[in-house]
Amino acid sequence: MQTQILAFIVWGTLALAVVGTYFFFLLSTRQPLEGEDYYRAVGKLRKPLLIAMLIVLSLTFGFTIGSLPYATSRDLPDRVIYVGVKQFSFLLSSQPLVSEVQMDTLGGELIEIPANSRVEFRVRSFDVNHGFGIFAPSGELVAQTQAMPGYVNRLIVTLPKEGTYSVLCLEYCGIAHHGMRASFNVFSPVTGSTQ
Amino acid sequence: MASTSISSLPLFARLWSALFVILFPVLGLLGVFMRLFQSEMLPDIEPSWFYAAMTLHGLGLVGLVYATSFALLITRLSQYVAFRPSMLYVSTGLTGIGVILLVVLFLVRFGPGWYFLYPLPFKSAGVWPEWAPHVFLVALTVLGVAWLLWKLETLRAMAKSFKFSTMLGWHVLAGKAEPSVPPAVLVATICCIAGIIALSAAVVMLVFFYYTLLTGNAADALLVKNLTFFFGHVLINLAMYQGIGVLYDVFPTYTRHQWPMTKPMAIAWNLVLLLVLFAYFHHLYMDFAQPVAVQIIGQAASYGTAIPAAVVTILGTLAHVYRRRVEWNWSSLLLFFGTMGWAVGGTAAVIDSTVAANFRFHNTLWVPAHFHTYLLAGIVLIILGGIAHFVSRAREYTLRPARLPISLLLIGAYGFVTMFYIGGLTSVPRRYAIYPIEVAHGSTLAQVALVFVALIMVGVAVYLWDVGRLLFLPSKRSS
Amino acid sequence: MGRWATAVFAFQALVIAQAANSLIPPSESSLLYERIPPCRISTVQGDTIFVERLSAQQPVVLTFVFARCVGACSPMLASLAAATEWLEESSSPASVIVASFDSSDTPSSLSWMADAYRDRRRWIIGTVVEPERRSLLRTLQFNYMLSTSGPTLFDHPSVVYVIGQGKVVRVILGYVLTQKALKAAIEQARGELIPAYPLPDPRIPFRCVEYDPQSQTVEYGWGIVVLGSPLVIGSLICFIVVLLSSMHSSTHSETSYVRRPPDLSNPHACSGESQS
C-alpha cells in the first residue's frame, strides 16, 4: 500500500481512538461516584499502557528502520543524473555539474529513464536550501531529498510507473518557491513509450 | 532591582495573558490570510506578502505560545519560589523590542520562514532590503538574551528554595516522599535546563549568521541547520511542556484531586530532558549528509518522547476526571481538550518521525497538520484555559461551562487540521503560495479549511467576550 | 619477425589512436555505472576467467598493462600491490585483475608478473580473449598508441577500474594508488555507497563532515564538536546558576512575590487558589 495512505489510516484510527477515549472519560463525569478511588483504578492502566506502547513502538521501529531511503548497502544504480538547483530553477543533466555557470549554459535536457531501472540523482544547490521532490504521473510524492549548499545528496530510486514525472521544490527557498519545477520521462524499455 | 509588591505578579501574568488574547487572534489572522491566498481568493496580492505573513505567523506564534506558557508557569511557580520581578520585566521588555523589530521586517516583506534556514535570510532574490537580515539578527539576539535571562532567573529562583536533586525529583526516584515538591517545579526545572541548552544552541547558531553577515563567507549549511533545529525543535516542545506544568498545577483545582509528584512522573520528566534534545534529528532526515546512525537515533528519540507524554500526562489527565465530580468550565474543559490535541498531534508526529514515512511526508502539509494539532488544538487551548483560570480567580468570577463555543472551537480546529492531513495524504507541499497543477487540489483544501476557520473564530470571539474581556476591566483590589 | 611485429604494432596503434583520436584518459563521470561487456581472461596459470560474471559476484579491481612495458606499468603494479595488501587478510571476496591490453601478449609473456606477485592470492594475471578485448577496451575508454620512445612500446594511461555488480564504480587515474582509495572503492563496489558528500571548500569553517575527493571518503569534522558545544555550555550555565543561588539561599526572601511562605504540606497547595 502507498505509504501515505497507510500512514493516514494509522493516524486516523489512533486519532479516533484518542477522541473516543476522551469523550468516554468526559461523559463518565456525568455519573460521579464519591468515595471510590477511581484515580487509582485508572492509574492501574499505566503499566499495561506502557508495555503496549513499548511493544507497538518497538515493532514499528523494527519494521521501518530497514527501509531507510539512504544510498547504503543496496544494488548499485544503473545511471546517474546530475541535478543542479538554484533560486528558482532545477537543471537535470547527464553531465556532472561543477559550477553555477552551467545552470545557465547547459540547456534543459530531455531526461528519459527506462522504467524499473535504478537511477541515482546527485542533487546540489548553488545558493540556498531547496528540496528535490519527485512526483509520479499520478501526483503522488514518491521520493525526495534536500538540496543543500555545499553538499551533494545521492537519491537512488527505482521508478516502476511510466509517464512524465514532475520535480517540485520541497524546501522553502524564497519568493518563487512554489514556481520551481522540472520534469523527466520514464519509458517502458519494452515498448519504448512513456505512456 | 524593582520594588516588589504583592500586585506585581498578577500584573505580570495579566500582561502576558492580555498580550496573548490580543496577539493570538491577530497572528492567527495572518494564517487565515495564507489560507485565503492559497484558495486563490486574493489574486491581486503578490506572493511575497504570503511568505512574509507566513514568516511572521510562524515566528510570532511560536514565540507567543512559548513565552505565554512560560509566563503562566511562572505565575504558578511564584506560589512556591521567589522571583525578582525586575528580571521578568526586563525579559518581557526585550521580548517586546524583538517583536517590534519582527513586525517592522514584516512590513518590508522579510520572509525567510520561521526557521529562516541558513543562508536564506541573506538571499532575498530582491524582495527584502539589504538591511533586513541585519535587523533580523538583532531581533533574534534580543529575543535570545531575553529568554535566556528569563530561564536563568527561573532556575535561580527555584534553586534558592529547593535542592537541585529535589527539583529534578531524584529523591522521589530514590523512594523518598519528602520533601514534597510540586510537579510544576519539576516541569519548570526540566524546561529551564533544556531551554538554556537550546538557547545556547541559538547563540552558537547566531555566531555563524553573524560570521556570514560580517565577513561574507559561507558557514557550513549542515551545521547551521542542525543548530537551528536543536534550538527550534526544543523551543516549540518546551512551549507544550510549560503548558503541561500549568496543567498539573491548575487542573486539580477543578477535579478536587491532588496531582502529586510520583515516581513515574519523575522518571518521565527526566527522560523527557534526555530525549527532547535528540529528537530534533528528525528535522534532518532528508539531509543525507547527516550520519545514518544519527537518523536512527532521531527516530528512536522521537518515538521515546511519546511514551512519557502518554503514560504520565495524558493518562493522568484522564484518571483525574474518571467518574469524578469535575467542575467543567471554560478553564477545565480547555485544559482537558488541550491534552487531547497533544495526543492526536503527537500521534501524527510519531508517524512523521519514522524515516520511511518522512520520505513521503517531509515538507508536505502533513507537517503543519501535526504541529497545528498540538499547537492550535493543544497548547493554545491549555493557555486559554490557564488564562481563564487565572483571570476568574483574580476577579472572583465564576466561569461558565461554555459547551457550545468549546464545541465550535474543537470542530473548527480539528476540521481545519484535517484539511492539512488530507493535504499530506495527497502529497501537497507545505509553504506554497500558489499550487501548481500537480497539486492543484491544495487550493480546494484551503477553501474547506476556511469554513472551519470561521467556526474557530466564533469560538475565540465568545472566549474573548466571556474571559478575555475581564483582563481589560479596571483592577479590583481586595487587599 | 621483429620488423613484422613492429609493423603490426604500428598498424594496431594507429587504428586505436585514430579511433580514439588521442590519448584522452577514461573519465569516471562518463563511465559511472557502465556495465562491462562479457569477456574472458586467459590466465598465466592456464585458467579462463569470465570477468563480468566474477564482477557480478564480488568487487573486481581491473588494470591494463603490457608485458614489455618499461614505463608506468611496473611502478603502478607495485603501488597497486601495496594498496591492496590488506585484501589478502580480508575475509570478504574481491579480486585484482591485471590484464594485458596488448594483442601480441600471451599468458606466458606475462609470467614474470605472476612470479613477481606470486604471494597475491587474489590476483588474476592474464590476457583478454579476442575479440572481447576490443569491446572491453572500447567500453572502458582505454586508449593507447604506439610510443615514440621505442618501436614496440605503447603510450597508455595508468588507470585502475573498480567494478562491482558488473558495473564500473570508480576509475582511478595515475600510478600512485592509496590503500584508502582502494578500500573505499571496493566498499562502493559492494553497494555500500555514501549517501551524500560535502563539496570541499577550505573557506568554510567547522564543517560537520569533510570529504576527500581522491578517495571519495567522508570523515567527521570539527563541526560535530561545535554542534555538541551547546550541551556543554548550557549544562555548565545551569550548574553555575544552581550552585550560586543555592549558596545564597535564604537571603532574598523580601523580594518574593509570595506574601506567605508556601505551605507545601497543605494538600491544596498545588492547586494554588489565589495570588492576589
Side-chain angles (χ1 to χ4, degrees):
Chain A
M1 197 193 294
Q2 192 187 317
T3 311
Q4 285 96 327
I5 296 174
L6 179 68
F8 188 83
I9 291 172
V10 170
W11 170 77
T13 312
L14 291 173
L16 286 177
V18 169
V19 172
T21 309
Y22 265 77
F23 275 91
F24 171 77
F25 277 87
L26 180 70
L27 293 177
S28 78
T29 63
R30 287 191 168 181
Q31 294 137 350
L33 279 179
E34 302 292 344
E36 296 276 345
D37 198 352
Y38 280 108
Y39 181 78
R40 203 169 283 259
V42 179
K44 278 187 181 154
L45 292 174
R46 180 165 288 140
K47 208 170 257 176
L49 180 66
L50 173 68
I51 293 167
M53 283 190 80
L54 278 174
I55 292 173
V56 170
L57 288 173
S58 310
L59 284 179
T60 315
F61 189 87
F63 278 124
T64 58
I65 210 69
S67 41
L68 295 178
Y70 313 117
T72 50
S73 301
R74 302 272 184 88
D75 293 340
L76 287 168
D78 298 310
R79 62 175 294 179
V80 58
I81 293 165
Y82 299 89
V83 181
V85 196
K86 69 172 193 175
Q87 285 175 330
F88 297 96
S89 60
F90 292 102
L91 179 74
L92 273 61
S93 170
S94 48
Q95 308 284 317
L97 298 171
V98 289
S99 88
E100 193 178 346
V101 183
Q102 288 172 292
M103 291 291 290
D104 303 316
T105 54
L106 285 178
E109 200 175 314
L110 181 64
I111 302 287
E112 302 267 0
I113 299 166
N116 288 314
S117 64
R118 273 180 88 68
V119 192
E120 173 182 338
F121 292 95
R122 287 201 184 181
V123 185
R124 64 174 295 190
S125 163
F126 290 101
D127 44 34
V128 298
N129 289 279
H130 297 273
F132 176 77
I134 301 176
F135 288 73
S138 55
E140 171 201 346
L141 172 64
V142 289
Q144 64 168 313
T145 186
Q146 291 264 307
M148 180 177 263
Y151 286 84
V152 176
N153 284 345
R154 303 168 80 176
L155 174 66
I156 299 177
V157 288
T158 305
L159 302 167
K161 285 185 210 151
E162 295 134 47
T164 304
Y165 284 67
S166 300
V167 174
L168 299 178
C169 183
L170 280 182
E171 184 60 74
Y172 172 63
C173 59
I175 172 79
H177 164 56
H178 55 271
M180 288 180 62
R181 57 187 307 116
S183 63
F184 59 86
N185 290 331
V186 172
F187 66 89
S188 160
V190 184
T191 63
S193 77
T194 55
Q195 289 302 319
Chain B
M1 192 184 296
S3 69
T4 343
S5 76
I6 188 66
S7 63
S8 314
L9 186 76
L11 187 68
F12 179 73
R14 211 170 129 184
L15 174 65
W16 273 104
S17 303
L19 281 173
F20 190 84
V21 297
I22 295 168
L23 291 178
F24 169 68
V26 171
L27 293 167
L29 281 174
L30 288 175
V32 178
F33 165 77
M34 288 160 67
R35 277 322 232 169
L36 278 168
F37 202 102
Q38 291 172 323
S39 304
E40 295 169 11
M41 290 180 189
L42 306 168
D44 299 329
I45 299 177
E46 285 198 22
S48 54
W49 283 110
F50 172 90
Y51 293 116
M54 181 185 86
T55 302
L56 187 60
H57 173 80
L59 270 175
L61 279 169
V62 166
L64 183 69
V65 163
Y66 168 81
T68 312
S69 68
F70 196 46
L72 292 184
L73 182 59
I74 281 193
T75 310
R76 310 308 307 175
L77 281 180
S78 65
Q79 298 172 96
Y80 319 115
V81 299
F83 287 95
R84 284 180 299 197
S86 55
M87 294 298 278
L88 301 184
Y89 286 114
V90 164
S91 303
T92 307
L94 287 175
T95 306
I97 295 171
V99 170
I100 291 167
L101 293 178
L102 292 181
V103 172
V104 169
L105 287 168
F106 166 71
L107 296 176
V108 297
R109 290 183 285 171
F110 182 69
W114 91 265
Y115 54 74
F116 48 91
L117 214 48
Y118 178 91
L120 186 55
F122 303 116
K123 311 255 180 178
S124 82
V127 178
W128 54 86
E130 264 181 37
W131 52 262
H134 297 68
V135 175
F136 182 60
L137 287 187
V138 172
L140 286 183
T141 310
V142 170
L143 286 171
V145 169
W147 294 350
L148 197 56
L149 284 178
W150 201 351
K151 281 269 179 314
L152 289 174
E153 167 59 13
T154 309
L155 192 64
R156 184 207 61 80
M158 289 191 296
K160 229 161 136 183
S161 302
F162 299 98
K163 268 168 67 181
F164 191 51
S165 57
T166 325
M167 284 156 68
L168 286 164
W170 289 354
H171 63 295
V172 182
L173 294 182
K176 290 181 203 153
E178 294 297 322
S180 143
V181 179
V185 170
L186 168 69
V187 176
T189 307
I190 300 301
C191 290
C192 282
I193 298 172
I196 289 166
I197 292 173
L199 288 163
S200 306
V203 171
V204 179
M205 174 200 74
L206 280 173
V207 168
F208 286 102
F209 270 93
Y210 278 113
Y211 169 75
T212 298
L213 188 79
L214 300 175
T215 66
N217 289 338
D220 185 25
L222 185 65
L223 174 59
V224 183
K225 188 172 179 180
N226 267 288
L227 288 164
T228 303
F229 285 106
F230 190 166
F231 138 75
H233 174 84
V234 174
L235 197 82
I236 193 63
N237 274 263
L238 291 189
M240 175 51 88
Y241 295 151
Q242 287 158 182
I244 298 301
V246 177
L247 172 90
Y248 285 161
D249 222 45
V250 171
F251 201 53
T253 317
Y254 301 107
T255 60
R256 299 186 193 86
H257 188 283
Q258 254 193 300
W259 203 330
M261 193 190 316
T262 55
K263 208 170 189 174
M265 187 189 273
I267 296 173
W269 285 95
N270 278 279
L271 257 180
V272 162
L273 174 60
L274 205 70
L275 293 172
V276 76
L277 298 173
F278 297 99
Y280 90 83
F281 293 138
H282 62 226
H283 290 271
L284 286 99
Y285 285 160
M286 291 305 115
D287 287 290
F288 294 3
Q290 197 83 330
V292 176
V294 168
Q295 314 286 32
I296 293 171
I297 293 171
Q299 182 169 332
S302 307
Y303 277 28
T305 48
I307 294 173
V311 172
V312 171
T313 304
I314 310 277
L315 188 70
T317 308
L318 294 173
H320 261 269
V321 302
Y322 187 61
R323 305 207 78 174
R324 195 172 290 281
R325 195 181 299 280
V326 180
E327 187 189 339
W328 288 120
N329 58 25
W330 265 118
S331 176
S332 53
L333 278 171
L334 287 176
L335 289 170
F336 180 73
F337 282 118
T339 60
M340 183 173 91
W342 192 26
V344 175
T347 309
V350 166
I351 291 172
D352 195 26
S353 72
T354 310
V355 184
N358 191 265
F359 192 48
R360 309 293 189 97
F361 279 144
H362 190 82
N363 283 343
T364 67
L365 286 181
W366 190 272
V367 181
H370 88 266
F371 72 65
H372 277 91
T373 313
Y374 64 66
L375 289 173
L376 180 60
I379 182 62
V380 166
L381 299 189
I382 290 174
I383 290 174
L384 291 176
I387 291 173
H389 172 80
F390 160 72
V391 75
S392 67
R393 295 288 144 152
R395 307 197 71 90
E396 291 157 22
Y397 175 88
T398 311
L399 294 166
R400 68 186 182 98
R403 284 191 194 90
L404 183 65
I406 289 177
S407 304
L408 286 179
L409 264 179
L410 290 177
I411 296 169
Y414 282 95
F416 174 75
V417 296
T418 300
M419 293 308 114
F420 279 143
Y421 283 111
I422 296 174
L425 167 71
T426 54
S427 301
V428 181
R430 76 191 273 212
R431 304 177 139 190
Y432 269 30
I434 300 162
Y435 289 114
I437 187 76
E438 291 84 352
V439 287
H441 59 282
S443 65
T444 313
L445 294 174
Q447 287 162 10
V448 180
L450 283 167
V451 177
F452 290 106
V453 169
L455 299 183
I456 301 174
M457 283 167 135
V458 174
V460 170
V462 178
Y463 175 88
L464 291 179
W465 177 255
D466 267 16
V467 180
R469 187 170 50 97
L470 303 175
L471 285 163
F472 302 96
L473 295 180
S475 196
K476 207 163 66 170
R477 283 275 164 84
S478 54
S479 51
Chain C
M1 178 65 199
R3 192 172 294 172
W4 274 110
T6 312
V8 170
F9 287 133
F11 179 70
Q12 186 188 28
L14 192 70
V15 169
I16 288 166
Q18 271 180 346
N21 217 2
S22 69
L23 264 181
I24 296 173
S27 97
E28 182 172 282
S29 60
S30 62
L31 277 177
L32 193 60
Y33 307 137
E34 186 76 43
R35 270 192 184 280
I36 59 158
C39 58
R40 286 163 294 168
I41 304 263
S42 300
T43 71
V44 175
Q45 287 79 17
D47 302 326
T48 302
I49 303 286
F50 293 81
V51 180
E52 91 285 4
R53 276 190 222 163
L54 181 70
S55 71
Q57 291 156 3
Q58 55 175 258
V60 167
V61 178
L62 170 66
T63 190
F64 292 114
V65 292
F66 72 107
R68 295 173 312 284
C69 187
V70 292
C73 289
S74 186
M76 196 269 280
L77 285 181
S79 178
L80 181 64
T84 56
E85 195 171 6
W86 59 276
L87 262 184
E88 301 298 322
E89 313 288 314
S90 167
S91 56
S92 343
S95 297
V96 177
I97 296 180
V98 179
S100 168
F101 61 84
D102 177 3
S103 61
S104 68
D105 274 343
T106 59
S108 57
S109 66
L110 296 166
S111 55
W112 67 267
M113 286 182 202
D115 289 343
Y117 297 104
R118 65 174 163 273
D119 56 331
R120 299 298 156 131
R121 291 177 296 113
R122 302 196 182 241
W123 283 40
I124 296 163
I125 302 171
T127 57
V128 191
V129 175
E130 290 287 358
E132 294 146 24
R133 184 186 63 91
R134 284 166 185 247
S135 73
L136 180 67
L137 294 181
R138 200 180 313 120
T139 304
L140 294 179
Q141 301 173 358
F142 188 89
N143 305 316
Y144 62 98
M145 62 198 294
L146 203 63
S147 175
T148 48
S149 52
T152 59
L153 297 177
F154 296 107
D155 284 338
H156 66 94
S158 278
V159 56
V160 165
Y161 303 87
V162 182
I163 301 156
Q165 300 172 13
K167 299 169 194 170
V168 177
V169 294
R170 283 239 46 199
V171 178
I172 304 171
L173 293 171
Y175 56 83
V176 181
L177 300 159
T178 65
Q179 178 178 312
K180 192 177 166 191
L182 262 298
K183 245 184 181 167
I186 287 172
E187 272 172 24
Q188 279 188 54
R190 292 206 168 97
E192 290 164 24
L193 303 178
I194 45 168
Y197 53 93
L199 295 156
D201 187 343
R203 291 167 304 171
I204 299 177
F206 303 114
R207 299 202 76 166
C208 291
V209 224
E210 300 280 0
Y211 182 61
D212 172 19
Q214 250 68 50
S215 63
Q216 297 193 356
T217 50
V218 288
E219 277 164 14
Y220 297 129
W222 284 101
I224 301 283
V225 177
V226 175
L227 183 57
S229 69
L231 267 177
V232 180
I233 299 170
S235 310
L236 209 65
I237 293 174
C238 291
F239 179 73
I240 292 168
V241 167
V242 168
L243 199 72
L244 288 180
S245 55
S246 55
M247 270 160 55
H248 295 102
S249 60
S250 81
T251 46
H252 291 91
S253 56
E254 279 82 26
T255 60
S256 165
Y257 285 126
V258 186
R259 184 178 289 177
R260 55 194 156 66
D263 178 12
L264 294 174
S265 57
N266 173 5
H268 291 287
C270 19
S271 58
E273 291 307 297
S274 159
Q275 293 99 42
S276 57

